[in-house]
Amino acid sequence: MSRRLVWVAMGLVLVVALAVGGRGRSGPPTEDQRVAHLSAQIRCPTCQGLSAAQSDAPASEAIRDEIRRRVQDGETDGQIKSYLVSRYTTSILLSPGHKGLGLVVWALPLLGIAAAVGGLAFVLRRNRVRPGRRVSAADQALVEQALKS
């Protein structure tokens, strides 16, 4: 009984920790937080595979400055991204869009996971031993021999 109580207590601690850690921000993001968040979603135009937040290239500094200026002017995140896309095309965004070819990029991993789970379920169902099935004497002898050695 005490063992069950320990598991319940550990589960309770886990639930409380997840609830406290999962709470959202207590207020709106600051200007610096918005600039950091947006620049982390924008690709550096001159670097290979870095965001504008990670890069020290002059082009990334210019993008961060432009983002800061637009945040100070009161533009929304969507408006700022739209401006950058109009200036640099959609290749400036680190994550693909949710329309057209970008939708395929998001959907393919999900379809792959679904296919893998379906295939696994098919194989497990096909290879399941049914209660009415009898084990042959030869198979039983092999199992007994393996257990002895």
Side-chain angles (χ1 to χ4, degrees):
M1 185 67 176
S2 65
R3 213 176 145 113
R4 188 176 296 176
L5 185 61
V6 169
W7 282 104
V8 169
M10 286 186 352
L12 185 62
V13 167
L14 178 65
V15 167
V16 169
L18 288 173
V20 169
R23 283 191 323 198
R25 285 176 259 185
S26 60
T30 64
E31 180 181 303
D32 289 336
Q33 288 172 333
R34 282 190 63 201
V35 170
H37 177 71
L38 283 168
S39 61
Q41 297 175 8
I42 304 298
R43 183 183 317 277
C44 173
T46 57
C47 303
Q48 187 74 10
L50 291 178
S51 71
Q54 296 169 323
S55 173
D56 290 332
S60 289
E61 289 178 19
I63 287 175
R64 287 192 302 269
D65 291 342
E66 183 66 26
I67 290 172
R68 182 170 305 281
R69 187 185 66 72
R70 290 181 175 272
V71 165
Q72 289 170 345
D73 288 346
E75 292 186 25
T76 65
D77 292 359
Q79 290 171 328
I80 296 170
K81 282 185 187 178
S82 294
Y83 167 75
L84 292 170
V85 166
S86 71
R87 187 162 179 211
Y88 295 99
T89 72
T90 56
S91 65
I92 196 73
L93 300 176
L94 281 174
S95 64
H98 300 298
K99 296 177 184 170
L101 187 59
L103 182 62
V104 173
V105 172
W106 288 106
L108 275 178
L110 297 175
L111 291 173
I113 290 170
V117 168
L120 182 63
F122 176 76
V123 168
L124 291 176
R125 177 174 272 181
R126 190 182 68 187
N127 292 335
R128 181 176 49 183
V129 176
R130 293 178 181 81
R133 239 185 215 177
R134 294 265 177 187
V135 178
S136 70
D139 288 341
Q140 186 66 35
L142 283 173
V143 169
E144 288 175 8
Q145 182 182 5
L147 288 175
K148 288 179 185 176
S149 57

